[in-house]
Amino acid sequence: MPNIKKFIIDFDSTFTQVEALDVLGEISLDKDPKKAEKLQAIKDITDMGMEGSLNFRESLEKRLEILEATETQISTLVEALKTKVSKSFQRNKEFFEENAEDIIIISNGFKDFITPIVGEYGIKAENVYANEFIYDESGKIIDFNRENILSKNGGKPETIKNLNLEGDIYVIGDGYTDYEIKASGLANKFYAFTENVDRPKVTSKADHVAPSLDEILYVNKMNKKFSYPKSRINVLLLENVHPIGVELMKQEGYNVEIIASALSEEELAEKIKKVSILGIRSKTNVTKKVLENANRLISIGAFCIGTNQIDLETCTEKGIAVFNAPFSNTRSVVEMAIAEIIFLMRNFHDKSLGMHKGIWDKSASGSFEIRGKKLGIVGYGNIGAQLSVLAESMGLDVYYYDVIEKLALGNATKVESLEELISTVDVLTLHVDGRKENKNLLDESKIKLMKKGSYLLNLSRGHVVDIKALKDALESGHIAGAAVDVFPEEPKNNDEPFVSELIGCKNVVLTPHIGGSTSEAQVNIARFVPGKIMEYINTGNTYNSVNFPNIQLPFLQNAHRLIHIHQNEPGILAKINRILADFEINIVGQYLKTNEKIGYVISDIDKAYSPEVIDAMKQIPGTIRFRVLY
């Protein structure tokens, strides 16, 4: 007979993300002029009770006295708590439903709101042990059942003792009263649950610190939903990724480390060894040397548009999916370009600098309207195309050049060669990617082709313009002004000095790579990139990946999903299917897509798989990576 495992689970800050009485306070004290003060008092009392510095009964009495709640407000509380069930508990609802007989809720909270919440996860009302409110005739909460063991100090161990449970007993909770069950010798293990709150006095007593329920199920070999606990997925986010991106990763259950600046190749090569997901912006170079050390790396997120700082070829060879944010900061860059065109053609920059020095230079010389001028856009991608639309609406005549055939928007005119575009327009703006072929795209010979008195904007990549040639053209007066946001060499962080030959040049706007640095753009990027990475890890979707074959997968129900990444060679799919057939496994859905380097196969199967299946899949010649999702 298999050994029975009983799970004793706390409610407040464990089953739910919050303390229920804190939420009840928000409801009952809604119109109280001292609401903030009273809510803080409730929270302080709760924390003292959880840490063991205040005995439980005293903490309960003090909180109820402040709350002044009613029975009708409990219904409102229940609806609020339903939206606050811990994320990892929501992910593993199947675990509760399948093991309802062996799951017991023991809480110092109250049955009145606990039973309706846990009942939706299949937990029986008779398996809920908690306190009970006492109401007066008007429905006001006036007390609690003082005969209930759980209203007394040491109530949890006493409750367990009276249950006479058989089998191994595992306690999951975040408070000192949960640890007391183990301390009383009534449980095999105490798991300190830290997904919602981390109390050092509690975690120091734990047998195992569990950042999520996934972790607990994994170590007990009961995790059916995910092949690997999310708490063991290490995320490294560099270069001040927006807090929303950080929070999304944490909410997903990942173990997240943040470093504000970029790292050198040597630093990142060492740091990457234990990383599963890497998030970077434009200054971090993910080189072949770095990737040689990245044996756990599943995915890289570029929290920006460009990916030229990442060795995509090596990533592909190692089965590492790369995602970026191709649209998220488009509007921000376009608005900056429009502003800089106006600034340059009106000479605002130098006029403003003069005013700050006390110089009053009121003159129309060298100052022009943008209406009717010719704007040349090099690179008609997302940014170039949107700039085309906005610029035309402001009266500019738009011309563009792109190496790829692109549909002209509005009245924009496509030009057949870069040289023709350069020699035609009054303002030239660059919006190309960072590929090596674009180095010095605008070199000395091209700059000489520009119309005398024209203007240049570079908001794309630093290496696409020959800086010395640009400086010479500015000093000679051949070019009337320039706006540069990107440079061949940029400081790794805000503490390093900026050095450039363009410093001090007349009518030159220099900005520190901030084309996409608006609050809106950073929020968009911070939501988009983690979303794509998490979708890839959770479902296998590669849509919007920079280097993987793009597959948009259907939602998986009642099946297991196997992912096989391999070198693009003939016969791999046949070998995968032969293995599945040999183990009498039926395929309910299968998806294959390849690019010039790799093949990506997703197989959905309708029965449990054995370790032998996994081993056989991994042994197929040409296999780069094999992953089981469910």
Side-chain angles (χ1 to χ4, degrees):
M1 182 178 176
N3 194 27
I4 299 170
K5 292 181 179 179
K6 297 284 186 181
F7 289 91
I8 309 298
I9 302 178
D10 182 38
F11 184 77
D12 290 300
S13 296
T14 299
F15 203 100
T16 59
Q17 303 166 31
V18 292
E19 291 286 330
L21 293 188
D22 291 355
V23 180
L24 182 57
E26 292 278 358
I27 298 166
S28 68
L29 299 171
D30 184 45
K31 300 187 186 310
D32 193 308
K34 294 185 177 180
K35 176 182 175 180
E37 179 184 329
K38 290 183 177 181
L39 287 177
Q40 187 59 49
I42 292 169
K43 185 180 184 305
D44 291 343
I45 293 166
T46 298
D47 289 341
M48 286 189 289
M50 286 295 177
E51 291 177 355
S53 56
L54 181 68
N55 74 60
F56 172 70
R57 176 163 282 208
E58 188 178 355
S59 76
L60 186 56
E61 289 171 341
K62 287 178 178 292
R63 283 179 288 169
L64 288 183
E65 185 180 340
I66 298 171
L67 282 170
E68 297 183 3
T70 64
E71 188 171 10
T72 57
Q73 290 167 340
I74 298 299
S75 299
T76 306
L77 172 63
V78 168
E79 292 307 310
L81 292 178
K82 284 180 180 178
T83 68
K84 297 292 185 181
V85 174
S86 295
K87 297 292 185 182
S88 65
F89 280 50
Q90 293 180 40
R91 287 196 295 270
N92 292 284
K93 191 173 183 180
E94 183 180 324
F95 160 74
F96 293 102
E97 293 170 342
E98 291 183 356
N99 298 276
E101 293 284 345
D102 299 315
I103 295 173
I104 300 168
I105 304 295
I106 296 185
S107 171
N108 293 128
F110 291 80
K111 288 183 180 180
D112 309 58
F113 52 77
I114 295 175
T115 303
I117 304 296
V118 302
E120 293 198 348
Y121 284 72
I123 298 172
K124 299 178 179 180
E126 56 265 33
N127 279 7
V128 176
Y129 295 85
N131 282 299
E132 302 142 310
F133 287 125
I134 294 177
Y135 307 90
D136 65 13
E137 293 180 357
S138 67
K140 182 180 178 181
I141 297 173
I142 56 172
D143 205 351
F144 51 88
N145 180 359
R146 292 175 180 265
E147 297 304 312
N148 189 319
I149 295 173
L150 286 162
S151 73
K152 302 174 183 178
N153 302 327
K156 285 190 177 183
E158 191 66 26
T159 300
I160 299 291
K161 186 177 180 181
N162 293 340
L163 289 176
N164 293 315
L165 299 174
E166 294 182 357
D168 292 338
I169 298 173
Y170 301 139
V171 177
I172 304 171
D174 66 286
Y176 194 83
T177 56
D178 303 305
Y179 160 69
E180 286 179 336
I181 299 171
K182 170 68 187 300
S184 300
L186 297 168
N188 297 73
K189 283 189 178 180
F190 167 53
Y191 293 96
F193 188 77
T194 60
E195 182 174 323
N196 304 312
V197 61
D198 187 343
R199 296 185 170 95
K201 288 185 179 179
V202 178
T203 55
S204 66
K205 303 286 186 181
D207 297 298
H208 193 108
V209 177
S212 69
L213 182 61
D214 305 310
E215 172 77 11
I216 297 168
L217 300 185
Y218 178 75
V219 297
N220 284 285
K221 299 181 179 178
M222 299 181 74
N223 197 332
K224 292 185 177 180
K225 191 165 181 65
F226 299 101
S227 61
Y228 199 69
K230 296 192 175 187
S231 57
R232 297 197 176 196
I233 293 179
N234 295 326
V235 179
L236 176 62
L237 299 177
L238 305 178
E239 302 182 66
N240 282 323
V241 166
H242 192 281
I244 287 178
V246 177
E247 187 57 31
L248 284 172
M249 294 285 199
K250 287 182 176 179
Q251 285 178 5
E252 189 69 6
Y254 300 150
N255 180 31
V256 181
E257 181 181 0
I258 308 161
I259 297 177
S261 65
L263 295 180
S264 67
E265 184 180 54
E266 292 73 21
E267 291 170 326
L268 187 55
E270 180 61 32
K271 199 77 176 172
I272 202 82
K273 291 177 180 177
K274 296 182 179 179
V275 172
S276 308
I277 298 170
L278 175 65
I280 64 169
R281 294 175 73 183
S282 58
K283 291 185 175 64
T284 299
N285 290 310
V286 185
T287 63
K288 187 177 184 68
K289 178 181 176 181
V290 168
L291 292 168
E292 284 170 352
N293 291 276
N295 294 324
R296 291 183 60 180
L297 197 62
I298 300 170
S299 182
I300 297 174
F303 286 72
C304 52
I305 294 177
T307 55
N308 59 291
Q309 71 276 38
I310 302 169
D311 185 337
L312 295 177
E313 186 174 347
T314 302
C315 284
T316 305
E317 290 170 358
K318 290 179 69 71
I320 300 164
V322 179
F323 297 89
N324 67 341
F327 321 109
S328 300
N329 65 2
T330 298
R331 178 71 185 202
S332 297
V333 177
V334 168
E335 288 187 3
M336 182 168 172
I338 292 288
E340 291 189 329
I341 291 168
I342 295 171
F343 255 62
L344 292 175
M345 296 193 72
R346 295 292 299 275
N347 203 14
F348 283 158
H349 178 63
D350 287 359
K351 297 286 187 185
S352 177
L353 287 176
M355 292 289 284
H356 279 286
K357 295 177 182 178
I359 300 170
W360 183 269
D361 181 19
K362 180 176 170 58
S363 169
S365 177
S367 184
F368 307 97
E369 289 185 353
I370 65 171
R371 181 174 50 179
K373 303 301 186 295
K374 294 178 180 178
L375 173 66
I377 301 173
V378 182
Y380 206 65
N382 298 320
I383 293 172
Q386 188 166 143
L387 174 59
S388 171
V389 174
L390 265 65
E392 185 180 318
S393 70
M394 298 184 72
L396 284 153
D397 296 329
V398 179
Y399 298 80
Y400 73 91
Y401 170 76
D402 199 299
V403 293
I404 299 172
E405 188 68 33
K406 296 289 181 69
L407 175 67
L409 301 180
N411 295 312
T413 301
K414 181 187 176 185
V415 175
E416 295 304 319
S417 71
L418 179 59
E419 289 78 9
E420 182 186 352
L421 181 75
I422 290 172
S423 60
T424 300
V425 300
D426 303 302
V427 181
L428 184 69
T429 181
L430 307 176
H431 300 285
V432 298
D433 62 30
R435 68 187 68 181
K436 294 176 182 177
E437 294 80 5
N438 285 333
K439 183 174 182 180
N440 287 339
L441 179 70
L442 210 68
D443 57 13
E444 183 179 6
S445 64
K446 297 288 194 311
I447 290 174
K448 285 181 178 178
L449 290 177
M450 292 177 67
K451 289 172 63 176
K452 182 173 176 59
S454 60
Y455 304 86
L456 173 67
L457 280 75
N458 183 17
L459 283 77
S460 58
R461 292 292 178 268
H463 67 262
V464 303
V465 175
D466 183 330
I467 296 296
K468 184 180 185 307
L470 173 58
K471 180 184 179 183
D472 291 343
L474 286 163
E475 290 182 340
S476 70
H478 181 68
I479 293 179
V484 183
D485 186 50
V486 288
F487 304 88
E489 300 291 333
E490 296 181 0
K492 286 188 172 61
N493 54 54
N494 291 344
D495 296 325
E496 289 187 8
F498 167 66
V499 178
S500 174
E501 294 179 71
L502 297 176
I503 292 175
C505 287
K506 186 179 179 182
N507 199 25
V508 174
V509 178
L510 302 179
T511 49
H513 204 145
I514 56 171
S517 297
T518 62
S519 295
E520 293 86 350
Q522 294 308 303
V523 168
N524 289 339
I525 292 169
R527 292 190 186 281
F528 185 86
V529 176
K532 291 301 173 184
I533 291 174
M534 291 185 292
E535 194 175 355
Y536 170 63
I537 289 174
N538 292 341
T539 71
N541 276 343
T542 55
Y543 195 69
N544 285 119
S545 171
V546 177
N547 65 325
F548 266 38
N550 276 206
I551 295 181
Q552 184 74 46
L553 296 165
F555 182 74
L556 181 65
Q557 288 184 313
N558 302 319
H560 302 279
R561 179 162 283 171
L562 313 179
I563 291 180
H564 193 275
I565 305 168
H566 56 268
Q567 294 169 9
N568 188 6
E569 299 173 353
I572 300 289
L573 182 60
K575 292 173 183 176
I576 290 172
N577 290 342
R578 191 174 303 122
I579 289 169
L580 295 176
D582 289 345
F583 283 90
E584 298 182 343
I585 294 174
N586 183 48
I587 300 170
V588 296
Q590 195 167 53
Y591 314 89
L592 164 67
K593 202 162 187 182
T594 62
N595 60 23
E596 65 277 7
K597 289 283 186 180
I598 63 170
Y600 188 65
V601 176
I602 295 92
S603 303
D604 293 344
I605 60 177
D606 65 357
K607 63 181 287 187
Y609 49 84
S610 67
E612 289 80 8
V613 175
I614 307 303
D615 291 340
M617 289 280 201
K618 290 179 178 178
Q619 295 306 314
I620 294 174
T623 298
I624 295 172
R625 175 169 289 178
F626 180 78
R627 200 158 64 94
V628 179
L629 289 188
Y630 308 103

